[in-house]
Each structure stands twice: as structure tokens, then as C-alpha cells.
Amino acid sequence: MIELQHISKVFHRGQVNEVTALQQVDLQIAAGDFVVLVGANGSGKTTLLNLIAGAILPTEGKIFFNGEDVTTIPEHRRSRWVARVFQNPLGGTAPDLSILDNFRLAALRTQPKRPVIGINETFRREVRERIAQLGMGLENKLNQPMGALSGGQRQALTLLMSVMDHTDILLLDEPTAALDPRSAAVVMGTAQQIIQDLGLTAILITHNLRDSLQYGNRLLHMADGQIMRDVNAIAKQKLTLGEMYAWFGA
Amino acid sequence: MTFYLTALLLGLCLGAMGLGIFITMKIFRIPDITTDGSYTLGATVTAVLILAGWPLPLVAGVVVIAGALAGVLTGLVHTRLRIDALLAGILVMTALYSVNLSLMGRSNIPLLGIPTVFKALTVFSNPIWNQVLVGGFFLAILGAILAYLLRTDFGIAMRATGNSESMTRALGINNDRMKIIGLAMANALTALSGFLVTQYQGFADINMGIGIVLVGLGSVLIGDALISWFSVRSIVLQLSLVVLGSVLFQLVLAVALSLGVNPNFLKLITSVFVLAIVGIPRLTRSRES
Ligand SMILES: Nc1ncnc2c1ncn2[C@@H]1O[C@H](COP(=O)(O)OP(=O)(O)OP(=O)(O)O)[C@@H](O)[C@H]1O
Ligand SMILES: [Mg+2]
């Protein structure tokens, strides 16, 4: 489904603050795979997702979706295949717009936004039902501005928004980092269910090693812009927290 | 009475520009000052075409297209060349001065004794009431169209673009294209103000747009103050308050003139007034924090 060929990303090339965020990364992710990505701060995880989403262009290398070269397709057109939850809770929502308006846009991710009123009672009910499943009590706040919610609440809603429209690929960048333990569990459970039910190809970045063992069928460990370890489903089941801590030199 | 009605009428005429600046400033958060040029462009096109005997609806159509083109130009310079919006606006505004001058062929075109939109309705015996009615009707239509548009899927996308560009990109929206459309709409509305004011005052003048952006800005600031004061969330009401802001602005200027202020100081008063609207809330806020 996703293939990266010799991907490198250098920021501020040729300047004193030059950073090599990714070095010659080769990666193939099969359709329906749920990949968990771990690695120290600054190891290049978000950069990898940004490249897949098209938010940044690689310095070198090519990116393919289903064999189609998408390397130069801009982010707003690559959204046809990709839905994402940003590391920053503010990144995936419009704070001044109502929750409902946010969901409406998300429901049109792969479609043109026409000059017709699309929010009707059916749509409102559907959104309310989906939000109710989170059990955070947000279903009665549909008309409130998104900005009035806490970061964690916004992150949970962004997850639901990401599958309001058809998607092939789901990118989750530390979706639970801003959440309290109970909400984090709800969001991870919801994510798992969505990925399974819809058969999505998913990449989850997390610093929570327990989550990285519990979820997904493949585990990647990144360090210094490279993929150091690639653990398949069977090996992943045998992996222990202790072994993983050792990867981080802890 | 006539004195207030005149201010009301002028406020309504300039309300279209207020709506335009509301789009750029509040929705897209782009400081667009193409306004001075597109306002005069609207006036120029109006005067030239009315004199050429074109029917008014057609004139209005051309004015809208001309204003929109000015906005598109600023939008292209801003998004394609990555030039600061403020500079892009100044570039287009300055270029428009020459365009307007060559379209007019002279610096002033009088339109005396020619049928205008303001003579379209004769409901009252007092002509100024009829004019106010026409102005109000015109603005109501513009406001209704804009309010509808902003509530559509396209409108939500527009509002989101100014709010969170990373979100809109991820949701399949071409932010650059959206900004160009927004600037086109805003300057089309501004040109319509030129269309109305030219007919109201009976002439077009090459210098009539100088500093007009401040009037629009002031209207939006007054409207915005009212919007946050009453926590208005309805889009129709928000737009209405912007038009009200435009009317209040003209009333303040009219009062200043009636107090015997030299008309030469009108621009100075405009500046000071806008400064007061922007500055006073800041002063009180900085004391709170
Ligand atoms: N837009 C950018 N401009 C310059 N440098 C960048 C940019 N984005 C990332 N970097 C650099 O690239 C490296 C990798 O960053 P990245 O955000 O991918 O890390 P990460 O693995 O997601 O870290 P974290 O776990 O802290 O989120 C870092 O050194 C970072 O400073
Ligand atoms: Mg990151």
C-alpha cells in the first residue's frame, strides 16, 4: 500500500542549522497493516508521517501508494488517500468553527466543498451518535466552538473526524499524548476498532511502550532518522517491555 | 434629520466594503489593502459605463467582475510569489491608480441628471428615504447571499482556511486557491461600494479611494467589538453588525463635521477614530493582564 524508496529529508540544507531528519529510509507497508512507530524525540517519526501525508517533500527518494508515484502530489490532493491525527491537538481542528462544522469538513475530505448547505438533521444525528461512542459527553456540545474544548477532547474528536470520509491510510501521531489515562484508553480502543472495521492501513506513533506492544501487527523503531528495528507480528508478540527499554538505552 | 439620513445612506453604501473587509480581515486574517484601488475601480467602471448608456444591472455585473479581478491579482501575487499580503495589496492598489485614470480619461467624471439606482424606488415623498430604502435593500441582498454562502460546505471550508491551514490542507482544501477566491469576493464587494457611492454622490473621482480602507477597517472593528460584546455566533447577525459598524462610523464622521470641523481634517479624524477603536480596548486589556 505504502512504499518509501531511499527517502531522505534534510531541513535547512547548506545552512549552519542543517538537520538530516531522515536518511535513506526504505519501507514497505502492506494494505491493512497497523504499524506502530517508536523512537526517541527528534528521531524523525513525525517527519516520516509528514512525508507520507505530503505536508513536506522529500529531499531525495520516492513515495508510492498502491504502486502510484505520489511523491510530488501536494498534501491537499493526497488527502484523497490519507487521513491523519496531528501530534499537536490544534493542528487537526479549526478552533473558531463549531464541532459540527469541523465534522462537516472532515466528512468532505475527499470530495469538493460545494456552495450548498450540507449540514442537515441526518448529518447532525450521525455526528452526535459517533461522538457519543467516546463517552466523553461531547455529543451535546455540537454547536460549541472547537476551541472551547480541552486538547485531549479535541484530539479524540480529530480521530473520529479522520474517518468521517473514506480513507485508505490513517496516520496517528501520538494521538493520546495529551489525554488522561481513561480517555487515552477510550481513544486507543476506538482507533483500534476503526482500523480493524474499515481495514485501514495505519501508522501509529507513540511514546507509550505498553501501547506499542498492545496495538498493531508490526513495530518499527527509529533512531537518528533511520529505521533501526522492524519487528513483525509474531516477533512482536514475544517482545517484552524490558527488551524495548533497552532499545532506548534505558 | 436629513443629516443623519445622509450618514445612514453613506454608511449603507460603504457597508458592502465593510463586508468585504470582514472576509479578508476576520475570515482569512489577511491584511488586504487592495481596497483603495478596487473601490475607485468600481466607481470608475460605474461612471464610464453609465455615461456610455449601459443598463445598471449590467454595470453592476461588470463592477463585480472588475473588483474580483483586482482581488485575484492580489491573491496571485500573494500566494504564487509568496509576497507579503500587505505588499501585494499595495502593489495592485498602486497599479490600479493608473488603470483607473486611463479608464476615466480625466480625474473626475460628473454624473448629473442621469438615472441611478437610487431613483429606482419611489415609496416615500422624501427622496432621501427612497435612497435609504434602495441602499438598505441592496445591502440586505448582498448580506443574505454572503450569509448563505458562509453557511454552505464551501463557506465552512473558507472559514476554516483562515482558522487552521494545517487542518484544511489535510482535509483536501487548496488554501492558496481559497485565499484567491476570498480576496476576489472581498474586492468585488468593495467595488460595489464604489458603484453605490458614485451614484449617490453623482460623480467618480480618481482620489475618492484614498484611505477608504481605513473606513472599512473601522466598520469591521466596530462590528467586531459588538460581535464579541454580545457573543454573537449567528453569521447573519455578525454581517448585520458589520454593516451597522459602517453606519455608526459615518455617523461619527457626520457629527464631527456638524461640530464645525474643517473637512480637510476628515482623513485625520478617520485615522484617529480607527486608532481609538483599536487602541482603547488594548489599553484596558493590558492593564488587566
Ligand atoms: N520543519 C522543520 N524544520 C527544521 N527542522 C525540522 C523540521 N521538522 C523536524 N525537524 C527536525 O527533524 C528532526 C526530526 O524531527 P521529528 O519531528 O520528525 O521528530 P519526532 O521523532 O517526531 O520527535 P518527537 O517524538 O519529539 O515528536 C528533529 O531534529 C527536528 O528538529
Ligand atoms: Mg513527533
Side-chain angles (χ1 to χ4, degrees), chain A residues 71-142:
Chain A
T71 316
T72 55
I73 296 183
E75 180 178 17
H76 67 88
R77 285 207 281 127
R78 235 187 268 185
S79 62
R80 204 172 95 210
W81 297 277
V82 183
R84 66 189 305 204
V85 175
F86 291 85
Q87 180 168 3
N88 176 354
L90 310 182
T93 51
D96 292 346
L97 270 58
S98 69
I99 294 180
L100 202 58
D101 285 345
N102 273 274
F103 270 78
R104 181 64 200 163
L105 269 195
L108 297 170
R109 198 187 66 251
T110 68
Q111 302 161 51
K113 286 75 181 166
R114 295 204 181 82
V116 293
I117 291 186
I119 296 180
N120 53 26
E121 209 31 59
T122 322
F123 182 77
R124 190 182 291 269
R125 199 174 326 116
E126 186 194 340
V127 170
R128 194 179 294 126
E129 278 167 14
R130 289 199 189 204
I131 295 181
Q133 284 169 8
L134 287 175
M136 291 177 159
L138 297 176
E139 58 276 12
N140 299 319
K141 301 186 173 176
L142 293 189

Coordinates of all heavy atoms in Angstrom, one line a residue, chain A residues 71-142:
Chain A
T71 N 4.9 11.1 -5.0 CA 6.0 12.0 -4.4 C 5.7 13.5 -4.5 O 5.9 14.2 -3.6 CB 7.3 11.7 -5.1 OG1 7.5 10.3 -5.2 CG2 8.5 12.2 -4.2
T72 N 5.2 13.9 -5.7 CA 5.1 15.4 -5.8 C 3.6 15.8 -5.7 O 3.3 17.0 -5.9 CB 5.6 15.8 -7.2 OG1 4.9 15.0 -8.2 CG2 7.1 15.5 -7.3
I73 N 2.7 14.9 -5.4 CA 1.3 15.3 -5.2 C 1.2 16.1 -3.9 O 1.6 15.6 -2.9 CB 0.4 14.1 -5.2 CG1 0.4 13.4 -6.6 CG2 -1.1 14.5 -4.9 CD1 -0.5 12.2 -6.7
P74 N 0.6 17.3 -4.0 CA 0.5 18.2 -2.8 C -0.4 17.6 -1.8 O -1.3 16.8 -2.1 CB 0.0 19.5 -3.3 CG -0.6 19.2 -4.6 CD 0.1 18.0 -5.2
E75 N -0.2 18.0 -0.5 CA -1.0 17.4 0.6 C -2.5 17.5 0.4 O -3.2 16.5 0.7 CB -0.6 18.2 1.9 CG -1.3 17.7 3.1 CD -0.9 18.5 4.4 OE1 -0.3 19.5 4.3 OE2 -1.2 17.9 5.5
H76 N -3.0 18.6 -0.1 CA -4.4 18.7 -0.2 C -5.0 17.7 -1.2 O -6.2 17.4 -1.1 CB -4.9 20.2 -0.4 CG -4.5 20.7 -1.8 ND1 -5.3 20.5 -2.9 CD2 -3.4 21.4 -2.2 CE1 -4.7 21.1 -3.9 NE2 -3.5 21.6 -3.5
R77 N -4.2 17.3 -2.1 CA -4.7 16.3 -3.1 C -4.4 14.8 -2.6 O -5.1 13.9 -2.9 CB -4.2 16.5 -4.5 CG -5.0 17.7 -5.1 CD -5.0 17.6 -6.6 NE -3.7 18.1 -7.2 CZ -3.1 17.4 -8.0 NH1 -3.5 16.2 -8.4 NH2 -1.9 17.8 -8.5
R78 N -3.4 14.7 -1.8 CA -3.0 13.4 -1.3 C -4.0 13.0 -0.2 O -4.1 11.8 0.2 CB -1.6 13.4 -0.7 CG -0.8 12.3 -1.3 CD 0.6 12.2 -0.6 NE 1.6 13.0 -1.3 CZ 2.8 13.0 -0.9 NH1 3.2 12.2 0.0 NH2 3.7 13.8 -1.5
S79 N -4.8 14.0 0.3 CA -5.8 13.7 1.3 C -6.9 12.7 0.8 O -7.7 12.2 1.6 CB -6.4 15.0 1.8 OG -7.1 15.6 0.8
R80 N -6.9 12.5 -0.5 CA -7.8 11.5 -1.0 C -7.5 10.1 -0.4 O -8.4 9.3 -0.3 CB -7.5 11.5 -2.6 CG -8.7 11.0 -3.4 CD -8.4 11.2 -4.8 NE -7.8 10.0 -5.4 CZ -6.9 10.0 -6.4 NH1 -6.5 11.2 -6.9 NH2 -6.5 8.9 -6.9
W81 N -6.3 9.8 -0.1 CA -5.9 8.5 0.4 C -5.6 8.6 1.9 O -5.7 7.6 2.6 CB -4.6 8.0 -0.2 CG -4.6 7.8 -1.7 CD1 -5.1 6.6 -2.3 CD2 -4.1 8.6 -2.7 NE1 -4.9 6.7 -3.7 CE2 -4.3 7.9 -3.9 CE3 -3.5 9.9 -2.8 CZ2 -3.9 8.5 -5.2 CZ3 -3.1 10.4 -4.0 CH2 -3.3 9.7 -5.2
V82 N -5.2 9.8 2.4 CA -4.7 9.9 3.7 C -5.5 10.7 4.7 O -5.9 11.8 4.4 CB -3.3 10.5 3.7 CG1 -2.6 10.6 5.1 CG2 -2.4 9.8 2.7
A83 N -5.8 10.2 5.8 CA -6.4 10.9 6.9 C -5.4 10.9 8.1 O -4.7 9.9 8.2 CB -7.8 10.3 7.4
R84 N -5.4 12.0 8.9 CA -4.4 12.0 9.9 C -4.9 12.7 11.2 O -5.7 13.5 11.2 CB -3.1 12.6 9.4 CG -3.2 14.1 9.1 CD -1.9 14.6 8.4 NE -0.7 14.3 9.1 CZ 0.4 15.0 9.0 NH1 0.5 16.0 8.2 NH2 1.5 14.7 9.7
V85 N -4.2 12.3 12.3 CA -4.4 12.9 13.6 C -3.0 13.5 13.9 O -2.1 12.8 14.0 CB -4.9 12.0 14.7 CG1 -4.9 12.6 16.0 CG2 -6.2 11.4 14.3
F86 N -3.0 14.8 14.1 CA -1.7 15.5 14.3 C -1.2 15.3 15.7 O -2.0 15.2 16.6 CB -1.8 17.0 14.0 CG -2.1 17.3 12.6 CD1 -3.3 17.3 12.0 CD2 -1.0 17.7 11.8 CE1 -3.6 17.7 10.7 CE2 -1.2 18.0 10.4 CZ -2.5 18.0 9.9
Q87 N 0.1 15.4 15.9 CA 0.7 15.4 17.2 C 0.2 16.6 18.0 O -0.1 16.4 19.2 CB 2.3 15.5 17.0 CG 3.0 15.4 18.4 CD 4.5 15.2 18.2 OE1 5.0 15.1 17.1 NE2 5.2 15.1 19.3
N88 N 0.1 17.7 17.4 CA -0.4 18.9 18.0 C -1.9 18.9 17.9 O -2.5 19.0 16.9 CB 0.2 20.1 17.3 CG -0.4 21.4 17.9 OD1 -1.3 21.4 18.8 ND2 0.2 22.5 17.4
P89 N -2.6 18.9 19.1 CA -4.1 18.8 19.0 C -4.7 20.0 18.3 O -5.8 19.9 17.8 CB -4.5 18.9 20.5 CG -3.3 18.7 21.3 CD -2.1 19.0 20.5
L90 N -4.0 21.1 18.2 CA -4.5 22.2 17.5 C -4.4 22.1 16.0 O -5.1 22.8 15.2 CB -3.8 23.5 17.9 CG -3.6 23.7 19.4 CD1 -2.9 25.1 19.7 CD2 -5.0 23.7 20.1
G91 N -3.6 21.2 15.5 CA -3.3 21.0 14.1 C -4.4 20.5 13.3 O -4.5 20.8 12.1
G92 N -5.3 19.7 13.9 CA -6.3 19.0 13.1 C -7.7 19.5 13.2 O -8.6 19.0 12.6
T93 N -7.8 20.7 13.9 CA -9.2 21.2 14.0 C -9.2 22.7 13.8 O -8.1 23.4 13.9 CB -9.7 21.0 15.4 OG1 -8.8 21.4 16.4 CG2 -10.1 19.5 15.7
A94 N -10.3 23.3 13.5 CA -10.4 24.8 13.4 C -11.1 25.3 14.6 O -12.3 25.0 14.8 CB -11.3 25.1 12.1
P95 N -10.4 26.0 15.5 CA -10.9 26.3 16.8 C -12.1 27.2 16.8 O -13.0 27.1 17.7 CB -9.7 27.1 17.5 CG -8.8 27.5 16.4 CD -9.0 26.5 15.3
D96 N -12.2 28.2 15.8 CA -13.3 29.1 15.9 C -14.6 28.5 15.3 O -15.7 29.1 15.4 CB -13.0 30.4 15.1 CG -11.9 31.2 15.8 OD1 -11.7 30.9 17.0 OD2 -11.3 32.1 15.2
L97 N -14.5 27.4 14.6 CA -15.6 26.7 14.0 C -16.3 25.8 15.0 O -15.6 25.3 15.9 CB -15.3 26.0 12.7 CG -15.3 26.8 11.4 CD1 -14.5 28.0 11.5 CD2 -14.9 25.9 10.2
S98 N -17.6 25.6 14.8 CA -18.3 24.7 15.7 C -17.8 23.2 15.5 O -17.2 22.9 14.5 CB -19.8 24.7 15.5 OG -20.1 24.2 14.3
I99 N -18.0 22.4 16.5 CA -17.7 21.0 16.4 C -18.3 20.4 15.1 O -17.7 19.7 14.3 CB -18.2 20.2 17.6 CG1 -17.4 20.6 18.8 CG2 -18.0 18.7 17.4 CD1 -17.8 19.9 20.1
L100 N -19.6 20.8 14.9 CA -20.4 20.3 13.8 C -19.7 20.7 12.4 O -19.6 19.9 11.5 CB -21.8 20.8 13.9 CG -22.9 20.0 13.1 CD1 -22.9 18.6 13.6 CD2 -24.2 20.7 13.3
D101 N -19.3 22.0 12.4 CA -18.7 22.5 11.1 C -17.4 21.7 10.9 O -17.1 21.4 9.8 CB -18.4 24.0 11.2 CG -19.6 24.8 11.1 OD1 -20.6 24.3 10.6 OD2 -19.5 26.0 11.4
N102 N -16.6 21.5 12.0 CA -15.4 20.7 11.8 C -15.7 19.3 11.2 O -15.0 18.8 10.4 CB -14.7 20.6 13.2 CG -13.8 21.7 13.5 OD1 -12.6 21.7 13.1 ND2 -14.3 22.7 14.2
F103 N -16.7 18.7 11.8 CA -17.0 17.3 11.3 C -17.6 17.4 9.8 O -17.3 16.5 9.1 CB -18.1 16.7 12.2 CG -17.5 15.9 13.3 CD1 -17.0 16.5 14.4 CD2 -17.3 14.5 13.2 CE1 -16.4 15.8 15.5 CE2 -16.7 13.8 14.3 CZ -16.2 14.4 15.4
R104 N -18.3 18.5 9.5 CA -18.8 18.6 8.1 C -17.6 18.6 7.1 O -17.6 17.9 6.1 CB -19.6 19.8 8.0 CG -20.2 20.0 6.6 CD -21.2 18.9 6.3 NE -21.4 18.8 4.8 CZ -21.9 17.7 4.2 NH1 -22.3 16.7 5.0 NH2 -22.1 17.7 3.0
L105 N -16.6 19.4 7.5 CA -15.4 19.5 6.6 C -14.8 18.1 6.5 O -14.3 17.7 5.4 CB -14.4 20.5 7.1 CG -14.5 21.9 6.6 CD1 -13.3 22.7 6.9 CD2 -14.8 22.0 5.1
A106 N -14.6 17.5 7.6 CA -13.9 16.2 7.6 C -14.7 15.2 6.8 O -14.1 14.3 6.2 CB -13.8 15.7 9.1
A107 N -16.0 15.3 6.8 CA -16.9 14.4 6.0 C -16.7 14.6 4.5 O -17.1 13.8 3.7 CB -18.3 14.5 6.4
L108 N -16.1 15.7 4.2 CA -15.9 16.0 2.7 C -14.4 16.0 2.4 O -14.0 16.6 1.4 CB -16.4 17.4 2.4 CG -17.9 17.6 2.7 CD1 -18.3 19.1 2.6 CD2 -18.7 16.8 1.6
R109 N -13.6 15.3 3.1 CA -12.2 15.3 2.9 C -11.8 15.0 1.5 O -11.0 15.6 0.9 CB -11.4 14.4 3.9 CG -9.9 14.7 4.0 CD -9.1 13.7 4.8 NE -9.2 12.4 4.1 CZ -9.8 11.3 4.5 NH1 -10.5 11.3 5.6 NH2 -9.8 10.2 3.8
T110 N -12.5 13.9 0.9 CA -12.1 13.5 -0.4 C -13.0 14.1 -1.5 O -12.9 13.8 -2.7 CB -12.2 12.0 -0.6 OG1 -13.6 11.6 -0.5 CG2 -11.4 11.3 0.6
Q111 N -13.9 15.0 -1.1 CA -14.9 15.5 -2.0 C -14.8 17.0 -2.1 O -14.3 17.7 -1.3 CB -16.3 15.1 -1.5 CG -16.5 13.6 -1.3 CD -17.7 13.4 -0.4 OE1 -18.8 13.9 -0.6 NE2 -17.5 12.5 0.6
P112 N -15.4 17.5 -3.3 CA -15.4 19.0 -3.4 C -16.3 19.6 -2.3 O -17.3 19.0 -1.9 CB -16.0 19.2 -4.8 CG -16.6 18.0 -5.2 CD -16.0 16.9 -4.4
K113 N -16.0 20.8 -1.9 CA -16.8 21.5 -0.9 C -17.7 22.5 -1.7 O -17.3 23.6 -2.1 CB -15.9 22.3 0.1 CG -15.2 21.5 1.1 CD -14.0 20.7 0.5 CE -13.3 19.9 1.6 NZ -12.4 18.9 0.9
R114 N -18.9 22.1 -1.9 CA -19.8 22.8 -2.8 C -20.6 24.0 -2.1 O -20.8 23.9 -0.8 CB -20.9 21.9 -3.4 CG -20.3 20.8 -4.2 CD -21.3 20.3 -5.2 NE -20.7 19.3 -6.0 CZ -20.6 18.0 -5.7 NH1 -21.0 17.6 -4.5 NH2 -20.0 17.1 -6.4
P115 N -21.0 25.0 -2.8 CA -21.8 26.1 -2.2 C -23.2 25.7 -2.0 O -24.1 26.3 -2.4 CB -21.6 27.2 -3.2 CG -21.4 26.5 -4.5 CD -20.6 25.3 -4.2
V116 N -23.4 24.6 -1.3 CA -24.8 24.2 -0.8 C -24.7 23.8 0.7 O -23.6 23.5 1.2 CB -25.3 22.9 -1.6 CG1 -25.5 23.2 -3.0 CG2 -24.3 21.8 -1.4
I117 N -25.8 24.0 1.3 CA -25.8 23.7 2.8 C -25.8 22.2 3.0 O -26.8 21.6 2.6 CB -26.9 24.5 3.5 CG1 -26.6 26.0 3.4 CG2 -27.1 24.0 4.9 CD1 -27.6 26.9 4.1
G118 N -24.8 21.7 3.6 CA -24.7 20.3 3.7 C -25.0 19.7 5.1 O -25.2 18.5 5.3
I119 N -25.1 20.6 6.1 CA -25.4 20.2 7.4 C -27.0 20.1 7.6 O -27.6 21.2 7.6 CB -24.8 21.2 8.5 CG1 -23.3 21.1 8.4 CG2 -25.3 20.8 9.9 CD1 -22.6 22.0 9.4
N120 N -27.5 18.9 7.7 CA -28.9 18.8 7.9 C -29.1 17.9 9.2 O -28.2 17.5 9.8 CB -29.6 18.2 6.7 CG -28.9 16.9 6.3 OD1 -28.3 16.2 7.1 ND2 -29.0 16.6 5.0
E121 N -30.4 17.6 9.4 CA -30.7 16.8 10.7 C -30.0 15.4 10.6 O -29.5 15.0 11.6 CB -32.2 16.7 10.8 CG -32.7 16.6 12.2 CD -31.8 17.4 13.3 OE1 -31.6 18.6 13.2 OE2 -31.3 16.7 14.2
T122 N -30.0 14.8 9.5 CA -29.4 13.5 9.3 C -27.9 13.5 9.7 O -27.4 12.7 10.5 CB -29.5 13.0 7.9 OG1 -30.8 13.4 7.4 CG2 -29.4 11.5 7.8
F123 N -27.3 14.5 9.1 CA -25.8 14.6 9.4 C -25.6 14.9 10.9 O -24.7 14.3 11.5 CB -25.3 15.8 8.5 CG -23.8 15.9 8.7 CD1 -22.9 15.1 8.1 CD2 -23.3 17.0 9.5 CE1 -21.5 15.2 8.3 CE2 -21.9 17.1 9.7 CZ -21.0 16.2 9.1
R124 N -26.4 15.8 11.4 CA -26.2 16.2 12.8 C -26.4 14.9 13.7 O -25.6 14.7 14.6 CB -27.3 17.2 13.2 CG -27.2 17.9 14.5 CD -28.4 18.8 14.7 NE -28.3 20.0 13.8 CZ -27.7 21.1 14.2 NH1 -27.2 21.2 15.3 NH2 -27.7 22.1 13.3
R125 N -27.4 14.1 13.4 CA -27.7 12.9 14.2 C -26.5 11.9 14.1 O -26.1 11.4 15.1 CB -29.0 12.2 13.7 CG -29.5 11.3 14.8 CD -30.9 10.7 14.4 NE -31.8 11.7 13.7 CZ -32.2 11.5 12.4 NH1 -31.8 10.4 11.8 NH2 -33.0 12.3 11.8
E126 N -26.0 11.8 12.9 CA -24.9 10.8 12.7 C -23.7 11.3 13.5 O -23.1 10.5 14.2 CB -24.5 10.8 11.2 CG -23.5 9.7 10.9 CD -22.8 9.9 9.5 OE1 -23.5 10.6 8.6 OE2 -21.7 9.4 9.3
V127 N -23.4 12.6 13.4 CA -22.2 13.1 14.2 C -22.4 12.9 15.7 O -21.6 12.4 16.4 CB -22.0 14.6 13.9 CG1 -20.9 15.1 14.8 CG2 -21.5 14.7 12.5
R128 N -23.7 13.1 16.1 CA -24.0 13.0 17.5 C -23.8 11.6 18.0 O -23.2 11.3 19.0 CB -25.4 13.5 17.8 CG -25.6 13.7 19.3 CD -27.0 14.1 19.6 NE -27.3 15.5 19.1 CZ -28.3 15.8 18.3 NH1 -29.2 14.8 18.0 NH2 -28.5 17.0 17.9
E129 N -24.2 10.6 17.2 CA -24.1 9.2 17.5 C -22.6 8.8 17.6 O -22.2 8.1 18.5 CB -24.8 8.3 16.5 CG -26.3 8.3 16.8 CD -27.1 7.7 15.6 OE1 -26.5 7.1 14.7 OE2 -28.4 7.8 15.7
R130 N -21.9 9.2 16.6 CA -20.4 8.9 16.6 C -19.7 9.4 17.9 O -18.9 8.7 18.5 CB -19.8 9.4 15.4 CG -20.2 8.6 14.1 CD -19.2 8.8 13.0 NE -19.7 8.3 11.8 CZ -18.9 7.9 10.8 NH1 -17.6 8.1 10.9 NH2 -19.4 7.5 9.7
I131 N -20.0 10.7 18.2 CA -19.3 11.3 19.3 C -19.7 10.7 20.6 O -18.9 10.5 21.5 CB -19.6 12.8 19.3 CG1 -18.9 13.5 18.1 CG2 -19.0 13.5 20.6 CD1 -19.1 15.0 18.0
A132 N -21.0 10.3 20.7 CA -21.5 9.6 21.9 C -20.7 8.4 22.2 O -20.5 8.1 23.4 CB -23.0 9.3 21.7
Q133 N -20.2 7.7 21.2 CA -19.5 6.5 21.5 C -18.2 6.7 22.3 O -17.7 5.8 22.9 CB -19.1 5.8 20.1 CG -20.3 5.1 19.5 CD -20.0 4.7 18.1 OE1 -18.8 4.8 17.6 NE2 -21.0 4.2 17.4
L134 N -17.7 7.9 22.3 CA -16.5 8.2 23.1 C -16.8 8.2 24.5 O -15.9 8.0 25.4 CB -15.9 9.6 22.7 CG -15.2 9.7 21.3 CD1 -14.8 11.2 21.1 CD2 -13.9 8.9 21.3
G135 N -18.0 8.5 24.9 CA -18.4 8.5 26.3 C -17.8 9.7 27.0 O -17.5 9.6 28.2
M136 N -17.5 10.8 26.3 CA -16.9 12.0 27.0 C -17.9 13.0 27.2 O -17.6 14.1 27.6 CB -15.7 12.5 26.1 CG -14.5 11.6 26.0 SD -13.3 12.4 24.9 CE -11.8 11.6 25.4
G137 N -19.2 12.8 26.8 CA -20.2 13.8 27.0 C -20.1 14.9 26.0 O -20.7 16.0 26.3
L138 N -19.4 14.7 24.9 CA -19.3 15.9 24.0 C -20.4 15.9 23.0 O -20.5 16.9 22.2 CB -18.0 15.7 23.2 CG -16.7 15.8 24.1 CD1 -15.5 15.5 23.2 CD2 -16.6 17.1 24.8
E139 N -21.3 14.9 22.9 CA -22.3 14.9 21.9 C -23.4 16.0 22.1 O -24.1 16.3 21.1 CB -23.0 13.5 21.9 CG -23.7 13.0 23.2 CD -22.7 12.4 24.2 OE1 -21.5 12.5 23.9 OE2 -23.1 11.8 25.2
N140 N -23.4 16.6 23.2 CA -24.4 17.7 23.4 C -23.8 19.1 23.2 O -24.4 20.1 23.5 CB -25.0 17.6 24.8 CG -25.7 16.3 25.0 OD1 -26.4 15.8 24.1 ND2 -25.5 15.7 26.2
K141 N -22.6 19.1 22.7 CA -21.9 20.3 22.5 C -21.6 20.6 21.1 O -20.7 21.4 20.7 CB -20.6 20.3 23.3 CG -20.7 20.1 24.8 CD -19.4 20.3 25.5 CE -19.7 20.2 27.0 NZ -18.4 20.3 27.8
L142 N -22.4 20.0 20.2 CA -22.1 20.1 18.7 C -22.0 21.6 18.2 O -21.2 21.8 17.3 CB -23.2 19.4 17.9 CG -23.3 17.9 18.1 CD1 -24.3 17.4 17.1 CD2 -21.9 17.3 17.9

